[in-house]
Amino acid sequence: MIVTFTANPSLDRTVALPGPLERGEVQRAVSVSQESGGKGVNVSRALVASGLESVAVLPGADSDPVLAGLRQSAVPFVSLPIGEPLRTNVALTEPGGVTTKINEPGPLLDENQQEALIKLLLESSRGASWVVMAGSLPPGFPADFYATAAQRLRSSADGAAPRIAVDSSGQPLAAALTGGAAGMPDLLKPNAEELAELAAAAGFAPATADELEADPAAAAAAAAAVVRTGVGAVLATLGSKGAVLVTADGAWLATHPPVAAVSTVGAGDSALAGYLLAHGQGAAPADCLRQAVAHGAAAASLPGSTVPAVHQTTPDAVTITALRKD
């Protein structure tokens, strides 16, 4: 079983435009869709769509539209009522897949609610193979919340701790690496921009996201610098350029033939789900990367925040190349 933890879930509304976004003008939408969202929720949705057991842990009242959407999608969840509605995020998609996102901050949770969420996560994670902590943190949360949660997951597991994956950005992502060995993730899933920030903090020569996407060898070297801080593995998604995976034992690039992009919302989350799906089947690291890129490509070809099932992916189309780590 894979548990996902989404501290700041959302109702994700996707508005498809007939042409490029025109600032200051009135435009009519081609279609509007909505899904229960947040990075961890998206990972659970993708795993369940592929027949894997997953439970989403999140805040929210039982009547909240986000939780109602999970029930409708048959995604198992456990939730903490917080007395406030969850946020709504809006994505504007243009033909060709260009996406503009407007994310609300989310409800304010006090220290007692934060502690209750961690306890709910600990209870729900008994016997799990992976715990995925993903997305932004709501207002009021300390930046090192993920590191603290990882430490407590491991200290309470009696030698049977789940592997821990973190997919976030900004301060929560950087602080996820500050919890010492007990709080260090087994897997990080940054995009190119996030990888550049993490690598710079690890002493890697500064590089932009565009430079890392254009140079997979540089992306692998940047990821290797992060791995040397104690992270188990880095799965760095590089947009249409594919993804790199770096562990202590090797580095690989995976690329997929171009797809007709419809929406990039949730593509990175689907990539993480694909990696975990393959890992649960005992696949080698390079093949976990293969399925990650296949999932990400499939997600980009689907409308809104729709996540693909494994039968909608094309891992045989993915090319794997071994890379140097330095």
Side-chain angles (χ1 to χ4, degrees), residues 43-292:
V43 171
S44 278
R45 288 172 51 224
L47 292 171
V48 170
S50 294
L52 207 67
E53 185 180 3
S54 180
V55 174
V57 178
L58 68 164
D62 193 57
S63 59
D64 194 278
V66 174
L67 274 62
L70 289 177
R71 280 192 294 272
Q72 186 175 3
S73 301
V75 176
F77 66 88
V78 292
S79 61
L80 175 75
I82 57 173
E84 291 188 61
L86 298 171
R87 62 182 180 149
T88 297
N89 293 339
V90 178
L92 306 175
T93 63
E94 305 171 35
V98 175
T99 302
T100 303
K101 297 187 68 176
I102 304 170
N103 291 350
E104 295 181 6
L108 177 67
L109 275 65
D110 61 31
E111 291 184 3
N112 290 334
Q113 291 170 317
Q114 295 172 28
E115 175 61 20
L117 264 180
I118 287 186
K119 288 182 177 178
L120 188 63
L121 175 62
L122 297 179
E123 293 167 3
S124 304
S125 300
R126 295 192 182 102
S129 57
W130 281 91
V131 169
V132 177
M133 298 188 286
S136 63
L137 295 174
F141 273 56
D144 64 352
F145 185 85
Y146 288 144
T148 299
Q151 290 170 337
R152 292 183 59 177
L153 277 165
R154 289 182 173 130
S155 66
S156 65
D158 297 326
R163 292 182 174 88
I164 294 172
V166 174
D167 181 5
S168 189
S169 60
Q171 288 187 336
L173 177 60
L177 308 186
T178 63
M184 197 65 73
D186 296 287
L187 176 68
L188 279 182
K189 202 232 56 77
N191 60 25
E193 181 177 355
E194 294 153 358
L195 176 60
E197 294 174 359
L198 288 171
F204 184 75
T208 67
D210 288 344
E211 288 170 342
L212 295 182
E213 288 188 357
D215 186 352
V226 178
V227 168
R228 286 193 291 271
T229 68
V231 175
V234 173
L235 169 64
T237 51
L238 306 176
S240 62
K241 304 297 184 180
V244 297
L245 174 68
V246 177
T247 71
D249 299 320
W252 303 266
L253 166 70
T255 57
H256 191 285
V259 300
V262 177
S263 171
T264 59
V265 178
D269 308 328
S270 292
L272 178 53
Y275 178 97
L276 297 173
L277 178 67
H279 188 276
Q281 296 171 341
D287 288 321
C288 293
L289 175 63
R290 180 189 303 278
Q291 189 60 53

Side-chain angles (χ1 to χ4, degrees), residues 255-257 287 289-295 309-320:
T255 57
H256 191 285
D287 288 321
L289 175 63
R290 180 189 303 278
Q291 189 60 53
V293 168
H295 255 76
V310 67
H311 71 268
Q312 296 173 289
T313 70
T314 52
D316 289 345
V318 176
T319 299
I320 301 291

